[in-house]
Amino acid sequence: MRLSSLSVRNVWRNRLRALLTVLGIAVAIVAFVLLRTVLSAWTVGAEASAKDRLGTRNKVTFVVPLPKRYIETIRQVPGVVDASYASWFGGKDPRHENEFFASMAVETKTLFSVFDELVVPPADRERWLNNRKGALVGDVLAKKLGWKVGDTVTLQGSIYPGDWQFQIEGIYSSTRKVVDRSSFFFHWDYLNDSLPEGSPQRDRIGWVTTRIRDPLQAGAISQAIDRAFDEQEIQTLTMSERAMNLSFLGMVSAVLKAIDLVSLVILFIMMLILGNTIAMSTRERTREFGVMRAIGFLPHHIALAVLIEAIVIGGLGGGLGLVLSYPLVERGMGRFIEENMGSFFPYFRISEGTAVAALVLALLLGLSAGLLPAYRAARLNVIDSLRRAG
Amino acid sequence: MNSSPQASPSGSDRGAASDIAEHARPTTAESIISLRGVRKTYFRGKEPIHVLQDLDLEVPVGGYEALMGPSGSGKSTLLNLIAGLDRPSAGSLLVAGADLGAMSDSQLARWRANTIGFIFQAYNLMPVLTAVENVELPLLLTKLSASERKRRAQTALRIVGLEDRMHHYPRQLSGGQEQRVAIARAIVNDPQVLVADEPTGDLDRQSADEILTLLERMNRELHKTIIMVTHDPAAAERAHITRRLNKGQLI
Ligand SMILES: Nc1ncnc2c1ncn2[C@@H]1O[C@H](COP(=O)(O)OP(=O)(O)O)[C@@H](O)[C@H]1O
Ligand SMILES: [Mg+2]
C-alpha cells in the first residue's frame, strides 16, 4: 500500500459524487476539444495549402474583379509554370435552398494543371471540357444533393442574376484530404458569353491562381507579378495560397478569438466546481487527517494526498472526455460539418495537439482545483480535527 | 510515491537529541514520563480557562496507568500533551528521553511516529483501507520495503488475533475488532508508549474486556508503557495505578 493508493481510493469513496464530477469534467473537455477543433479545422485548410501556388487578387478588395487580360501578363512572369483564373459565382440550387456550396466559373483548360490534386475519371473530364454548359462537382456535394453524371441542374445566381442551367458531366474527388469536395466548377466562357455586351462584369476575373516552379521563389515571384501591374489602374495583391487562405480567416478572427476564450472559460468554471467538490470531501474527512497527523504524517503528506486525489479526478475526467470526443466530434459533428461546411472546414478532425492539450489541461484543472483544499487540509490543527465528531 | 523517511533518525534528529540532553534534568532512570509544573490554559474569547494547573507527574518505564476524572476535567488535554500533540502553556514535559518543549512541530511529528502509539475511543480507522492496510499506514513513514511493511502489519494483526480478518474493511468488522485493528496499528512501529483515550467507551462489556486484556498483554509481554483515560472502573482496575484528575490537578 502507498499513500497514493489511499488518495485513489478516497476518490471512489462517494461513488455518485465522483461519477458526476468526472462526467462534468469530461463534458467540459468535450466542449474544449470541439471548440479547439473548430479553430484548428479553420486554419488547417490554410496551413495545408499547396506551397507552389500563388493567388493574385485586386489589391484593394476581394469583391472587385480584375481585367481578364491580366492572365496573359502573369503567364509571362519568369518562374510561373501555369496560371488559371476563376470568378466567384455564388449560386444556389433552388431545390436545396439551405445548402451552401462554393460555385465558381473557372478557366477549364488550365484547371487540372494548376489544381493537380483534383481526381476525375478521364472520360468525365473529356466530356466536361467539351460541354460549355458542363459542371464538375465534388463527390461529397454530389452525394449530398443526389446529383449524378448526366443530370441537368439549375442554379440561381446572386452576383449574376437569373437561372443558369448546367449538365453534370463529371464528379471529382481529391488526392489530398484538405481540399473542399463540395465545390461546383463550370466554364468561365459560358458565364462570360452569357453576359450582355457592355456589361461591366464582362471580361472580368475574380482571381488568378498561379503554379510556380520553385516554392522558395514564392516571395520574389509574387512581387514580380504585382510590379507588372504597378502602373495599371487596378493593382494586384499576390500572395501564397496559404497566406491568401489565412487572409480569409482574418475576417473571422474575432469570432475565433471568442471561441478560444469560451473554451477556456468552460474549463475555468469546471475548475471552480471541482475545487468545491474537493473542499467538501476533504472537510468531511477532517478527523482522518487529524489521525494521520497524530500518527506522524506531516502537513505536506496531507497536502500531497489531497492533490493526488484532485489530479486523479482531473485525469479521469480528461481521459473520459477525450474518449467521448472522438466519436462525438469526428464521427458525429465532423462528418456533418465536412459535408455541409466543407469550404470552411474541409478537414474537421481532432488534432494531436488538441488531444494532448485537453489531457494536460484536465490534469492542470485537477491540480489547481486541489491547491486550496490541500493547503487548508495541511494546515488543520491536529487536536481540533481529532475532537471533530464523525 | 516516495513517502519521506521519518522513523530512522536523521542528522537533524541527532542534533535535537543533543539539545534534549542539555535540557534534561536529573530524573530517576525508571521514569519514562516526567511532567513538571505543566499548565494548560485555553481562552474562550478573553476569558482564560485553566484546564491544567501546575501539574507534576512521573510514570515509570513499563507502567500501566489509568486516568479518571469527571468530563471536562482535562484528561484528554493531559494525554495530548504527553503524546506530543499539543504544547503546554507552561512547564516541561520529558517523555521517552525527549524534551517536548524544545522540539519543532516536525520534530515532534517524527518523534510521535517513533515513540507513541495512539488508541482512540472511536477507533479512527481509515474506512477505505483494509485491516492490514490500516495497520500498515504508520509504516509508510519509514524506509521499510513494501514487503517488510506488509510482513510487520500482518504480525501486528496476528498479535491482536485478527489474522483471519486481514482483508476486511472496517465496516465489515465489529466495534471490538475495529479497536483491535487500531491497537495493532498503534504497536506496529514498536513505540515505547501507548496512549489510549477511553478505548472501551464505545464497546459492550465483553468486547471491552477483550480490549483490556489485550492492553494488559501489550504492557506485560511487549513492555509498553500505557496511559489510559477511562470512565470505566473495571477498566481502571486493570491498570497498576489509577490517577484522578480534578479541577486541573492530579489527586
Ligand atoms: N481548543 C479548546 N479551546 C477551548 N477550550 C478547550 C479546548 N479544548 C478543550 N477545551 C476545554 O478544556 C476542558 C478539558 O477538556 P478535555 O481535556 O477534553 O476534558 P476531558 O477529556 O477530561 O473530558 C474542557 O472544559 C474543554 O471545554
Ligand atoms: Mg476526553
Side-chain angles (χ1 to χ4, degrees):
Chain A
M1 207 241 327
R2 299 194 291 187
L3 193 55
S4 54
S5 39
L6 180 61
S7 300
V8 171
R9 285 196 221 170
N10 274 321
V11 168
W12 293 113
R13 191 157 171 175
N14 187 331
R15 300 261 155 112
L16 183 64
R17 181 157 69 191
L19 200 71
L20 290 176
T21 311
V22 166
L23 268 179
I25 297 169
V27 169
I29 289 296
V30 169
F32 171 82
V33 168
L34 175 63
L35 295 174
R36 272 292 141 156
T37 304
V38 168
L39 280 179
S40 68
W42 210 303
T43 40
V44 78
E47 294 296 339
S49 40
K51 292 183 177 57
D52 61 349
R53 279 205 291 253
L54 305 178
T56 302
R57 60 149 168 110
N58 188 308
K59 185 175 183 176
V60 184
T61 162
F62 258 110
V63 186
V64 177
L66 304 168
K68 181 180 177 256
R69 61 188 152 80
Y70 278 23
I71 185 79
E72 299 310 330
T73 315
I74 290 175
R75 285 195 175 115
Q76 300 308 313
V77 173
V80 170
V81 177
D82 205 349
S84 187
Y85 55 84
S87 293
W88 184 259
F89 179 68
K92 236 179 199 174
D93 180 354
R95 285 175 304 169
H96 302 279
E97 269 293 333
N98 297 321
E99 302 291 352
F100 171 84
F101 54 88
S103 52
M104 285 170 272
V106 299
E107 188 188 24
T108 51
K109 66 175 199 262
T110 51
L111 183 73
F112 296 107
S113 66
V114 173
F115 297 93
D116 56 346
E117 66 266 33
L118 298 178
V119 178
V120 187
D124 288 6
R125 179 166 162 168
E126 275 315 300
R127 272 202 321 280
W128 179 62
L129 289 172
N130 292 325
N131 180 357
R132 265 168 46 87
K133 292 189 166 190
L136 179 67
V137 301
D139 55 349
V140 173
L141 179 66
K143 193 172 160 211
K144 191 167 62 170
L145 299 188
W147 290 342
K148 295 179 304 296
V149 169
D151 286 359
T152 298
V153 175
T154 304
L155 294 193
Q156 270 171 358
S158 53
I159 304 167
Y160 306 92
D163 284 351
W164 299 75
Q165 248 187 26
F166 304 96
Q167 275 95 46
I168 310 272
E169 293 288 15
I171 291 177
Y172 74 86
S173 58
S174 165
T175 54
R176 294 202 326 220
K177 275 187 194 153
V178 292
V179 168
D180 176 24
R181 280 152 57 191
S182 297
S183 289
F184 186 106
F185 298 125
F186 64 93
H187 294 236
W188 183 88
D189 290 340
Y190 172 42
L191 175 72
N192 196 54
D193 295 350
S194 307
L195 296 171
E197 220 37 83
S199 154
Q201 289 174 318
R202 250 185 102 106
D203 292 324
R204 297 273 154 167
I205 54 179
W207 66 90
V208 175
T209 307
T210 306
R211 206 114 158 246
I212 57 175
R213 193 165 294 119
D214 179 5
L216 293 176
Q217 296 296 313
I221 298 172
S222 299
Q223 284 177 6
I225 291 174
D226 291 340
R227 225 177 303 120
F229 304 108
D230 252 359
E231 307 296 318
Q232 305 279 333
E233 187 192 342
I234 294 178
Q235 281 134 35
T236 59
L237 177 64
T238 303
M239 49 185 124
S240 68
E241 186 174 79
R242 179 176 174 276
M244 190 143 141
N245 288 349
L246 282 172
S247 78
F248 268 117
L249 296 183
M251 299 187 287
V252 287
S253 71
V255 177
L256 297 184
K257 275 193 191 113
I259 291 177
D260 206 5
L261 194 67
V262 166
S263 68
L264 293 176
V265 166
I266 291 174
L267 288 178
F268 182 73
I269 292 171
M270 200 54 229
M271 186 201 83
L272 297 181
I273 295 173
L274 176 60
N276 184 48
T277 307
I278 304 263
M280 217 152 65
S281 81
T282 50
R283 203 171 308 129
E284 288 163 8
R285 281 183 278 139
T286 300
R287 195 182 175 71
E288 287 170 34
F289 294 132
V291 172
M292 287 179 71
R293 291 289 304 282
I295 285 175
F297 286 92
L298 292 167
H300 78 258
H301 291 120
I302 307 292
L304 200 62
V306 173
L307 280 181
I308 290 173
E309 216 175 306
I311 292 171
V312 165
I313 295 178
L316 285 174
L320 181 65
L322 211 51
V323 165
L324 292 178
S325 290
Y326 279 92
L328 278 175
V329 173
E330 293 202 341
R331 222 140 304 145
M333 294 213 42
R335 187 163 297 171
F336 176 82
I337 284 174
E338 282 179 15
E339 284 175 7
N340 293 280
M341 295 184 258
S343 41
F344 296 116
F345 307 105
Y347 187 64
F348 197 82
R349 298 291 153 87
I350 298 168
S351 74
E352 233 170 77
T354 299
V356 171
L359 218 51
V360 169
L361 277 173
L363 292 173
L364 279 178
L365 186 154
L367 176 69
S368 42
L371 280 176
L372 196 62
Y375 176 74
R376 285 209 314 220
R379 278 181 36 124
L380 283 173
N381 177 291
V382 186
I383 305 279
D384 289 347
S385 27
L386 280 174
R387 280 184 196 270
R388 192 84 64 95
Chain B
M1 181 193 355
N2 283 322
S3 294
S4 25
Q6 254 88 41
S8 59
S10 66
S12 67
D13 279 350
R14 259 181 243 114
S18 57
D19 280 352
I20 291 158
E22 270 173 47
H23 293 278
R25 358 157 250 272
T27 49
T28 51
E30 296 86 40
S31 241
I32 189 167
I33 297 170
S34 166
L35 273 59
R36 289 285 154 80
V38 165
R39 204 179 300 163
K40 183 71 187 179
T41 308
Y42 287 114
F43 286 89
R44 201 158 284 159
K46 285 223 163 109
E47 182 198 346
I49 304 166
H50 302 288
V51 180
L52 302 177
Q53 295 181 47
D54 295 320
L55 190 137
D56 297 332
L57 174 66
E58 298 284 333
V59 177
V61 174
Y64 182 2
E65 306 207 347
L67 196 55
M68 298 188 79
S71 188
S73 57
K75 304 182 296 294
S76 296
T77 302
L78 176 57
L79 207 62
N80 288 339
L81 287 173
I82 292 170
L85 284 176
D86 206 356
R87 291 174 184 280
S89 309
S92 72
L93 293 105
L94 204 66
V95 181
D99 181 353
L100 303 191
M103 287 154 77
S104 73
D105 284 352
S106 58
Q107 282 173 329
L108 265 181
R110 279 159 221 219
W111 174 83
R112 283 199 303 272
N114 290 325
T115 318
I116 306 287
F118 289 91
I119 300 160
F120 307 93
Q121 176 174 358
Y123 331 129
N124 285 343
L125 300 177
M126 303 288 148
V128 296
L129 300 182
T130 62
V132 71
E133 288 167 338
N134 264 291
V135 176
E136 193 188 330
L137 191 64
L139 297 179
L140 293 181
L141 292 166
T142 67
K143 272 183 176 157
L144 297 174
S145 70
S147 56
E148 179 61 16
R149 290 200 305 258
K150 198 167 174 197
R151 202 187 60 75
R152 291 200 188 183
Q154 288 171 345
T155 305
L157 270 182
R158 201 165 304 123
I159 290 174
V160 301
L162 279 180
E163 60 267 52
D164 56 336
R165 295 287 191 277
M166 211 113 79
H167 302 296
H168 288 224
Y169 286 91
R171 70 188 134 76
Q172 299 169 319
L173 299 172
S174 71
Q177 289 171 329
E178 279 196 72
Q179 194 61 300
R180 274 147 75 190
V181 174
I183 291 173
R185 177 177 67 184
I187 60 165
V188 74
N189 262 345
D190 198 20
Q192 292 170 263
V193 180
L194 295 184
V195 295
D197 197 342
E198 305 194 34
T200 58
D202 284 359
L203 296 175
D204 59 75
R205 187 70 261 157
Q206 197 197 329
S207 305
D209 285 340
E210 280 169 22
I211 293 301
L212 292 169
T213 305
L214 195 53
L215 286 177
E216 224 167 16
R217 275 183 51 211
M218 298 300 123
N219 175 249
R220 208 164 356 97
E221 296 167 18
L222 301 179
H223 314 294
K224 306 293 176 204
T225 302
I226 300 179
I227 313 290
M228 172 177 68
V229 167
T230 185
H231 277 113
D232 176 8
E237 222 160 81
R238 305 278 200 115
H240 304 162
I241 300 177
T242 298
R243 298 182 192 268
R244 283 170 202 284
L245 198 57
N246 202 2
K247 297 196 173 127
Q249 294 194 300
L250 283 170
I251 49 173

